[in-house]
Amino acid sequence: MKNVLITAELPQVANSILQQAGLNVEIFKGDKLITKKELLDKVKDKDFLITSLSTDVDEDVINAAPKLKLIANFGAGFNNIDINSARAKEISVTNTPFVSTTSVAEVTAGLIISLSHRLVEGDNLMHDQGFNGWSPLFFLGHELSKKTLGIIGMGQIGKALAKRMQAFDMKIVYTQRHHLKEDEEKELHAAFLEKDELIKQSDVISLHLPLTKNTHHLLGAKEFATMKKTSFLINAARGPLIDENALLKSLKEKQLAGAALDVYEHEPEVDDQFKKMKNVILTPHIGNATIEARNAMAEVVAKNVVSVLNGEKPKYIVN
């Protein structure tokens, strides 16, 4: 019987698929994230590893598992896995793209709306001291209509966000390495701009690209200095895309109006300075935290294990 290690509890659909395939499944159920020591001990006799993107699978872990045939990452990203070491050992690495697109796009849209209209700030006020009643100049926010949304990374999630924000009559601009096809641009009412120009023109900037050596600290002091002082920054992609120290400095100096972060540079740690800012929304990496998305992700990783078990090629190989 082949052995599977799952480093965190997943939706039941994953367990059902794996057990029906006759696999021996071990699930780590600790109160905290699995430690490297625990992972090294548990993975050594496993044929398959299903891991969340919060767990690092480095060269040591890969070398400790001589029988390993597949690392199925529960998440669209895969920067937590040493891709090169896995490739050298002829171990396939897969992720779960596409299935979380709707959820992340909806959460991002919600963050944009909440930041523009100060909804979280208003909720905090009402849970605390309350207010003295409606007045003409009290608690003003900004409408999104006619504002420019700059999307950095127009993949599946970027496109899904663009479709949703069209309903708010926003002007959509985007940047990435390659232009979209002309018919896609027309469908999304989106115009391509070079990154520097997008940053200068946008009222809202939203990040939707993977973390790589080239995208680490994609936005820093230089970029923040050229943003509109009335603009907002949204990050529901990967924390290290932003230089958080530079962002903190720019917010303090009012070089931009606010930010909404669902991911963090040193996750799960969050700089206490962000927590004190009323113009910053912080959420606990909930971009794809829906029952629908997580069930779909669980199905992908489990079916990929079964595919490799049956000598078939799994979906979404990233190495």
Coordinates of all heavy atoms in Angstrom, one line a residue, residues 258-318:
G258 N -4.1 54.9 1.2 CA -4.4 53.7 2.0 C -4.1 52.4 1.4 O -3.6 52.4 0.2
A259 N -4.2 51.3 2.1 CA -3.9 50.0 1.6 C -4.8 48.9 2.2 O -5.3 49.1 3.3 CB -2.4 49.7 1.9
A260 N -5.0 47.9 1.4 CA -5.7 46.7 1.9 C -4.8 45.5 1.7 O -4.5 45.2 0.5 CB -7.1 46.6 1.3
L261 N -4.5 44.8 2.7 CA -3.5 43.6 2.6 C -4.2 42.4 3.1 O -4.7 42.3 4.2 CB -2.3 43.9 3.4 CG -1.5 45.2 3.1 CD1 -0.4 45.4 4.1 CD2 -1.1 45.3 1.7
D262 N -4.2 41.3 2.3 CA -4.6 40.0 2.7 C -3.4 39.1 2.9 O -3.6 38.0 3.4 CB -5.6 39.4 1.6 CG -6.2 38.1 2.0 OD1 -6.7 38.0 3.2 OD2 -6.2 37.2 1.2
V263 N -2.3 39.5 2.4 CA -1.0 38.7 2.5 C 0.1 39.6 3.0 O 0.0 40.8 2.8 CB -0.7 38.1 1.1 CG1 -1.6 37.0 0.8 CG2 -0.6 39.1 0.0
Y264 N 1.2 39.0 3.5 CA 2.2 39.8 4.2 C 3.6 39.3 3.9 O 3.8 38.1 3.7 CB 1.9 39.8 5.7 CG 0.5 40.2 6.0 CD1 -0.5 39.2 6.1 CD2 0.1 41.5 6.1 CE1 -1.9 39.6 6.3 CE2 -1.2 41.9 6.3 CZ -2.2 41.0 6.4 OH -3.5 41.4 6.6
E265 N 4.5 40.3 4.0 CA 5.9 39.9 3.6 C 6.5 38.9 4.5 O 7.3 38.0 4.1 CB 6.8 41.2 3.7 CG 8.2 41.0 3.2 CD 9.0 42.3 3.0 OE1 8.4 43.4 3.3 OE2 10.1 42.2 2.6
H266 N 6.2 38.9 5.8 CA 6.7 37.9 6.8 C 5.6 37.1 7.4 O 5.6 36.9 8.6 CB 7.5 38.6 7.8 CG 8.6 39.5 7.2 ND1 9.7 39.0 6.6 CD2 8.7 40.9 7.2 CE1 10.5 40.0 6.2 NE2 9.9 41.1 6.5
E267 N 4.6 36.7 6.6 CA 3.5 36.0 7.0 C 3.8 34.8 7.9 O 4.8 34.1 7.5 CB 2.6 35.6 5.8 CG 1.2 35.2 6.1 CD 0.4 35.0 4.8 OE1 0.5 35.9 3.9 OE2 -0.3 34.0 4.7
P268 N 3.1 34.5 9.0 CA 1.9 35.2 9.4 C 2.1 36.4 10.3 O 1.2 37.0 10.8 CB 1.2 34.1 10.3 CG 2.3 33.3 10.9 CD 3.4 33.3 9.8
E269 N 3.4 36.9 10.5 CA 3.6 38.1 11.3 C 3.2 39.3 10.5 O 3.4 39.4 9.3 CB 5.1 38.2 11.6 CG 5.7 37.0 12.4 CD 5.0 36.8 13.7 OE1 4.7 37.8 14.3 OE2 4.8 35.6 14.1
V270 N 2.6 40.2 11.2 CA 2.1 41.5 10.6 C 2.7 42.6 11.5 O 2.6 42.6 12.7 CB 0.6 41.6 10.6 CG1 0.2 42.9 10.0 CG2 0.0 40.4 9.9
D271 N 3.3 43.6 10.8 CA 4.0 44.7 11.5 C 2.9 45.4 12.3 O 1.8 45.8 11.8 CB 4.6 45.6 10.5 CG 5.6 46.6 11.2 OD1 5.1 47.4 12.1 OD2 6.8 46.7 10.8
D272 N 3.1 45.7 13.6 CA 2.2 46.3 14.5 C 1.8 47.7 14.0 O 0.7 48.3 14.3 CB 2.7 46.4 15.9 CG 2.6 45.1 16.6 OD1 1.9 44.2 16.2 OD2 3.4 44.9 17.6
Q273 N 2.7 48.4 13.2 CA 2.4 49.7 12.8 C 1.2 49.7 11.8 O 0.5 50.7 11.8 CB 3.7 50.3 12.1 CG 4.9 50.5 13.0 CD 6.1 51.0 12.2 OE1 6.2 52.1 11.9 NE2 7.0 50.0 11.9
F274 N 1.1 48.7 11.0 CA -0.1 48.6 10.1 C -1.4 48.6 11.0 O -2.4 49.1 10.6 CB 0.0 47.4 9.3 CG 0.9 47.4 8.1 CD1 1.9 46.5 7.9 CD2 0.8 48.5 7.2 CE1 2.8 46.5 6.9 CE2 1.7 48.5 6.1 CZ 2.7 47.6 5.9
K275 N -1.4 47.9 12.1 CA -2.6 47.7 12.9 C -3.1 49.0 13.5 O -4.3 49.1 13.9 CB -2.3 46.7 14.0 CG -1.9 45.3 13.5 CD -1.5 44.4 14.7 CE -1.0 43.0 14.2 NZ -0.6 42.1 15.3
K276 N -2.2 50.0 13.6 CA -2.6 51.3 14.2 C -3.1 52.2 13.2 O -3.6 53.3 13.5 CB -1.4 51.9 14.9 CG -0.8 51.0 16.0 CD 0.4 51.6 16.6 CE 1.0 50.6 17.7 NZ 2.3 51.1 18.2
M277 N -3.1 51.9 11.9 CA -3.5 52.8 10.8 C -5.0 52.6 10.4 O -5.4 51.5 10.0 CB -2.6 52.6 9.6 CG -1.1 53.0 9.8 SD -0.1 52.7 8.4 CE 1.4 53.4 8.9
K278 N -5.8 53.6 10.5 CA -7.2 53.5 10.2 C -7.4 53.4 8.7 O -8.5 52.9 8.3 CB -7.9 54.8 10.7 CG -8.0 54.9 12.2 CD -8.8 56.1 12.6 CE -8.8 56.2 14.2 NZ -9.6 57.4 14.6
N279 N -6.4 53.8 7.9 CA -6.6 53.7 6.4 C -6.0 52.4 5.8 O -5.7 52.4 4.7 CB -6.0 54.9 5.8 CG -4.5 55.1 6.1 OD1 -4.0 54.6 7.0 ND2 -3.8 55.8 5.2
V280 N -5.8 51.4 6.7 CA -5.3 50.1 6.3 C -6.2 49.0 6.7 O -6.6 48.9 7.9 CB -3.9 49.9 6.8 CG1 -3.4 48.5 6.5 CG2 -2.9 50.9 6.3
I281 N -6.6 48.2 5.7 CA -7.4 47.0 6.0 C -6.5 45.8 6.0 O -5.8 45.6 5.1 CB -8.6 46.9 5.0 CG1 -9.5 48.1 5.0 CG2 -9.3 45.6 5.2 CD1 -10.6 48.0 4.0
L282 N -6.7 45.0 7.1 CA -5.8 43.8 7.2 C -6.8 42.6 7.3 O -7.7 42.5 8.2 CB -5.0 43.9 8.4 CG -4.0 45.1 8.6 CD1 -3.4 45.1 9.9 CD2 -3.0 45.1 7.4
T283 N -6.6 41.6 6.4 CA -7.4 40.4 6.5 C -6.4 39.2 6.5 O -5.3 39.3 6.0 CB -8.3 40.2 5.3 OG1 -7.6 40.4 4.1 CG2 -9.5 41.2 5.4
P284 N -6.8 38.1 7.1 CA -5.9 36.9 7.4 C -5.7 35.9 6.3 O -6.1 34.8 6.4 CB -6.5 36.3 8.7 CG -7.9 36.5 8.5 CD -8.1 37.9 7.8
H285 N -5.3 36.4 5.1 CA -5.0 35.5 4.0 C -6.3 34.7 3.7 O -6.2 33.4 3.6 CB -3.8 34.6 4.2 CG -3.2 34.1 2.9 ND1 -1.9 33.8 2.8 CD2 -3.7 33.8 1.7 CE1 -1.6 33.4 1.5 NE2 -2.8 33.4 0.9
I286 N -7.4 35.4 3.4 CA -8.7 34.7 3.1 C -9.1 34.8 1.7 O -10.3 34.5 1.4 CB -9.8 35.3 4.0 CG1 -9.9 36.8 3.8 CG2 -9.5 34.9 5.5 CD1 -11.1 37.4 4.5
G287 N -8.2 35.1 0.8 CA -8.5 35.2 -0.6 C -9.3 34.1 -1.2 O -10.3 34.3 -1.9
N288 N -8.9 32.9 -0.9 CA -9.7 31.7 -1.4 C -10.3 30.9 -0.3 O -10.6 29.7 -0.5 CB -8.8 30.8 -2.3 CG -7.6 30.2 -1.5 OD1 -7.6 30.2 -0.3 ND2 -6.6 29.7 -2.2
A289 N -10.6 31.6 0.8 CA -11.2 30.9 1.9 C -12.7 30.8 1.8 O -13.5 31.4 2.6 CB -10.8 31.6 3.2
T290 N -13.2 30.1 0.8 CA -14.6 29.7 0.7 C -14.7 28.2 0.6 O -13.8 27.5 0.3 CB -15.2 30.3 -0.6 OG1 -14.5 29.8 -1.7 CG2 -15.1 31.9 -0.6
I291 N -15.9 27.8 1.0 CA -16.1 26.3 1.0 C -16.0 25.8 -0.4 O -15.4 24.8 -0.7 CB -17.5 26.0 1.5 CG1 -17.6 26.3 3.0 CG2 -18.0 24.6 1.3 CD1 -19.0 26.3 3.6
E292 N -16.5 26.6 -1.4 CA -16.5 26.2 -2.8 C -15.0 26.0 -3.3 O -14.7 25.0 -3.9 CB -17.2 27.2 -3.7 CG -18.7 27.2 -3.4 CD -19.1 28.2 -2.2 OE1 -18.2 28.7 -1.6 OE2 -20.3 28.4 -2.0
A293 N -14.2 27.1 -3.0 CA -12.8 27.0 -3.5 C -12.0 26.0 -2.8 O -11.3 25.2 -3.5 CB -12.2 28.4 -3.3
R294 N -12.1 25.8 -1.5 CA -11.3 24.9 -0.8 C -11.7 23.4 -1.2 O -10.8 22.5 -1.2 CB -11.4 25.1 0.7 CG -10.8 26.5 1.1 CD -9.3 26.5 1.0 NE -8.8 27.8 1.2 CZ -8.5 28.4 2.3 NH1 -8.7 27.8 3.5 NH2 -7.9 29.6 2.3
N295 N -13.0 23.2 -1.4 CA -13.4 21.8 -1.8 C -12.8 21.5 -3.2 O -12.3 20.4 -3.5 CB -14.9 21.7 -1.9 CG -15.6 21.5 -0.5 OD1 -14.9 21.0 0.4 ND2 -16.8 21.8 -0.4
A296 N -12.8 22.5 -4.1 CA -12.3 22.3 -5.4 C -10.8 22.1 -5.4 O -10.2 21.2 -6.1 CB -12.6 23.5 -6.3
M297 N -10.1 22.8 -4.5 CA -8.6 22.6 -4.4 C -8.3 21.2 -3.8 O -7.4 20.6 -4.3 CB -8.1 23.7 -3.4 CG -8.2 25.1 -4.0 SD -7.9 26.4 -2.8 CE -6.2 26.2 -2.3
A298 N -9.1 20.8 -2.8 CA -8.9 19.5 -2.3 C -9.1 18.4 -3.3 O -8.3 17.4 -3.3 CB -9.9 19.3 -1.1
E299 N -10.1 18.6 -4.2 CA -10.3 17.6 -5.2 C -9.1 17.5 -6.2 O -8.7 16.4 -6.6 CB -11.6 17.9 -6.0 CG -12.0 16.9 -7.0 CD -13.4 17.2 -7.6 OE1 -14.2 18.0 -7.0 OE2 -13.7 16.7 -8.6
V300 N -8.6 18.7 -6.5 CA -7.4 18.7 -7.4 C -6.2 18.0 -6.9 O -5.6 17.1 -7.6 CB -7.0 20.2 -7.8 CG1 -5.7 20.2 -8.5 CG2 -8.1 20.8 -8.6
V301 N -5.8 18.2 -5.6 CA -4.6 17.6 -5.1 C -4.8 16.1 -4.9 O -3.9 15.3 -5.2 CB -4.2 18.2 -3.7 CG1 -3.8 19.7 -3.9 CG2 -5.3 18.1 -2.7
A302 N -6.0 15.7 -4.5 CA -6.3 14.3 -4.3 C -6.3 13.5 -5.6 O -5.7 12.4 -5.8 CB -7.6 14.1 -3.6
K303 N -6.9 14.1 -6.6 CA -7.0 13.4 -7.9 C -5.6 13.4 -8.6 O -5.3 12.5 -9.3 CB -8.0 14.2 -8.8 CG -9.4 13.9 -8.5 CD -10.4 14.5 -9.5 CE -11.8 14.1 -9.2 NZ -12.8 14.6 -10.2
N304 N -4.8 14.4 -8.3 CA -3.4 14.3 -8.8 C -2.6 13.2 -8.2 O -1.8 12.5 -8.9 CB -2.7 15.7 -8.6 CG -2.9 16.7 -9.7 OD1 -3.4 16.3 -10.8 ND2 -2.7 17.9 -9.4
V305 N -2.8 13.0 -6.9 CA -2.1 11.8 -6.3 C -2.6 10.5 -6.9 O -1.8 9.6 -7.3 CB -2.4 11.8 -4.8 CG1 -2.0 10.5 -4.2 CG2 -1.7 12.9 -4.1
V306 N -3.9 10.4 -7.2 CA -4.4 9.2 -7.8 C -3.9 9.0 -9.2 O -3.6 7.9 -9.6 CB -6.0 9.2 -7.7 CG1 -6.5 8.0 -8.5 CG2 -6.5 9.2 -6.3
S307 N -3.8 10.1 -9.9 CA -3.3 10.0 -11.3 C -1.9 9.4 -11.3 O -1.5 8.5 -12.1 CB -3.3 11.4 -11.9 OG -4.6 11.8 -12.2
V308 N -1.0 9.9 -10.4 CA 0.4 9.4 -10.4 C 0.4 8.0 -9.9 O 1.2 7.2 -10.4 CB 1.2 10.3 -9.4 CG1 2.6 9.7 -9.3 CG2 1.3 11.7 -10.0
L309 N -0.5 7.7 -8.9 CA -0.6 6.3 -8.5 C -0.9 5.3 -9.6 O -0.4 4.2 -9.7 CB -1.7 6.2 -7.4 CG -2.0 4.8 -6.9 CD1 -0.8 4.3 -6.0 CD2 -3.3 4.8 -6.0
N310 N -1.7 5.8 -10.5 CA -2.1 5.0 -11.7 C -1.2 5.1 -12.9 O -1.5 4.6 -14.0 CB -3.6 5.3 -12.1 CG -4.6 5.0 -11.0 OD1 -4.4 4.1 -10.3 ND2 -5.7 5.7 -11.0
G311 N -0.1 5.8 -12.7 CA 0.9 5.9 -13.8 C 0.5 7.0 -14.8 O 1.0 7.0 -15.9
E312 N -0.4 7.9 -14.5 CA -0.9 8.9 -15.3 C -0.2 10.3 -15.0 O 0.3 10.4 -13.9 CB -2.4 9.0 -15.3 CG -3.1 7.7 -15.7 CD -4.6 7.8 -15.3 OE1 -5.0 8.8 -14.7 OE2 -5.3 6.8 -15.6
K313 N -0.3 11.2 -15.9 CA 0.3 12.5 -15.7 C -0.7 13.4 -14.9 O -1.8 13.5 -15.3 CB 0.6 13.2 -17.0 CG 1.4 14.5 -16.9 CD 1.7 15.0 -18.3 CE 2.5 16.4 -18.2 NZ 2.8 16.9 -19.5
P314 N -0.2 14.0 -13.8 CA -1.1 14.8 -13.0 C -1.3 16.2 -13.7 O -0.6 16.5 -14.6 CB -0.4 15.0 -11.7 CG 1.1 14.9 -12.1 CD 1.1 13.9 -13.2
K315 N -2.4 16.9 -13.3 CA -2.6 18.2 -13.8 C -1.8 19.3 -13.1 O -1.4 19.1 -11.9 CB -4.1 18.6 -13.7 CG -5.1 17.8 -14.5 CD -6.5 18.3 -14.4 CE -7.4 17.5 -15.3 NZ -8.8 18.0 -15.1
Y316 N -1.5 20.4 -13.8 CA -0.9 21.6 -13.2 C 0.5 21.3 -12.7 O 0.8 21.8 -11.6 CB -1.8 22.2 -12.1 CG -3.3 22.2 -12.5 CD1 -4.3 21.7 -11.7 CD2 -3.6 22.9 -13.7 CE1 -5.6 21.7 -12.1 CE2 -5.0 22.9 -14.1 CZ -6.0 22.4 -13.3 OH -7.3 22.4 -13.7
I317 N 1.3 20.6 -13.4 CA 2.7 20.4 -13.1 C 3.4 21.8 -13.2 O 3.4 22.4 -14.3 CB 3.4 19.4 -13.9 CG1 2.7 18.0 -13.7 CG2 4.9 19.3 -13.6 CD1 3.3 16.9 -14.5
V318 N 4.2 22.2 -12.2 CA 4.9 23.5 -12.2 C 6.4 23.4 -12.4 O 7.1 24.4 -12.5 CB 4.6 24.3 -11.0 CG1 3.1 24.6 -10.9 CG2 5.0 23.6 -9.7

